[in-house]
Amino acid sequence: MKTEVVFVCRECDARLLKWMGRCPQCGQWNSIEEKVSQVIPKGRSRQSENVVAPIPIDQISHDRSPRLFTGMDELDRVLGGGLVRRSVILVGGDPGIGKSTLLMQALGTMSARGENVLYVSGEESLEQIKIRADRLGVSSKSFLVVAENELERILELMRTTGASVVVLDSAQSVSSQSVDSHPGSVSQVRHVAAASIEIIKRSQSACFLVGHVTKDGALAGPKVLEHMVDTVLYFEGDRGHPYRILRAVKNRFGSVSEIGVFEMTDAGLSEVVNPSEFFLSERPEGASGSVVTALVEGSRPILAEVQALVSGPTPGSGRRTCLGTDPQRLALMLAVIEKKLGFLLNDHDIFLNAVGGVRATEPAVDLGIVASVISSFCDRVIPFSSMIFGEVGLSGEVRPVAKAAARINEAARLGYSRIVGPKKNLDSCAFPEGAKFIPISHIRELPAILFEGE
Ligand code: TYD
Ligand code: MG
């Protein structure tokens, strides 16, 4: 067979015609290697050996086999209503966030129901896995575990064990001898995923691939797999906080905006059925700068606390720091407050925090941000029962947002009865029992009503 010389980047798998000191695709130095690849002779391409004829769309039989439930409602919901057979799901997230814990718990409940499951660990020894299993109370004859790094042997196990769900923890720790690069490199990870997908598609099983997000921009991690798999879930959270959010960012079998909320406890992850209560559980009373706003994650409204701290003045321009909020959005809101309300904030340090590590980045939190900044700047307390939401435009107008009724009902359910929001939204929503609506259409109206009843 004929061969040709190619130059391949070890980091990002880019293919070049000549050697270079620095990869033009990923910018890595000294990562280009010379490789000899086989050239398939013209007229005898690999595909031509097994050409598949196209068929009319109405003749395709469609398998309606029911989904597999993991038994964890939060996970099932994010998956779009359970696991689809023959699908491959990538679970990405920072090391230590709880991916192995989540999947071991899910497999644990499935195996307790009698489902055959296989957990392949490329990172941990059997002893380490057993310690975690004991902690999680997972024990079952139909829960098979193997510590293995070699792809070929893992594929053989996937074929022969007949497990209905397989977890490969993690894709980066598995490698194939047929690929000439180190484990965790882009070409290895891609090959591992492609080979697993091929087997799963021809089976009755589903497979979870775990992928660590690497600190340096996730290049060798899950990003390269996202377009190959059916579903991509990210497990997020702040190590300093106990709760974790599972988010679908791609799902061929369901909505991508669903989230699942979990709390990491001593005995594994517990599902948080009522996230709003959870996020607001430690809200301080009588604190200026604190405001409750309503986010919508997928189909769920979630109430969260946003805190601002305006301190100063300091010499020169003030610093701005955002946690869980969007710095650009804050800059925009500060400019609008200065211009439309005349508060001079330029020489003040401003810190904005979405409490508990929640991500408050949708435009509907704008009015909440404005309210918390004003509250901290004036050092006056917003009445505890207030919930404030709405988008703010550049001229200070308060714009309506989507899913207003869901936000209002969630607030009313938890006793947040004083609801400040866009006039257009509040005019078209029904009053929940006991709620008081304060509609506004420009932030100019905010200072007068914000502290009412304080
Ligand atoms: P792990 O699932 O190993 O994370 P990942 O697979 O994403 O790297 O979880 C690691 C952290 O979770 C570790 O710091 C210990 C903590 N943990 C608990 O707090 N409770 C538990 O029951 C378990 C199993 C882990
Ligand atoms: Mg792990």
Side-chain angles (χ1 to χ4, degrees), residues 217-228:
L219 192 64
K223 285 279 175 228
V224 294
L225 305 180
E226 281 186 359
H227 64 279
M228 303 171 75

Side-chain angles (χ1 to χ4, degrees), residues 94-101 124 132 135-136 169 212 264-268:
D94 290 339
I97 207 73
K99 301 179 293 298
S100 306
T101 307
E124 292 167 310
R132 183 185 289 113
R135 200 166 165 184
L136 302 175
D169 188 3
H212 293 299
M264 183 63 96
T265 69
D266 285 344

Side-chain angles (χ1 to χ4, degrees), residues 331-391:
L332 218 129
M333 290 306 117
L334 295 179
V336 176
I337 296 171
E338 286 204 325
K339 183 94 183 160
K340 301 294 165 186
L341 301 180
F343 293 135
L344 291 177
L345 300 167
N346 192 35
D347 55 356
H348 286 70
D349 289 339
I350 298 176
F351 306 89
L352 191 70
N353 183 19
V355 179
V358 78
R359 243 183 11 194
T361 49
E362 56 171 320
V365 302
D366 287 354
L367 196 58
I369 295 177
V370 172
S372 63
V373 170
I374 297 175
S375 162
S376 178
F377 183 74
C378 303
D379 200 17
R380 291 184 66 185
V381 180
I382 299 171
F384 195 76
S385 63
S386 314
M387 189 282 273
I388 303 179
F389 75 101
E391 181 176 345

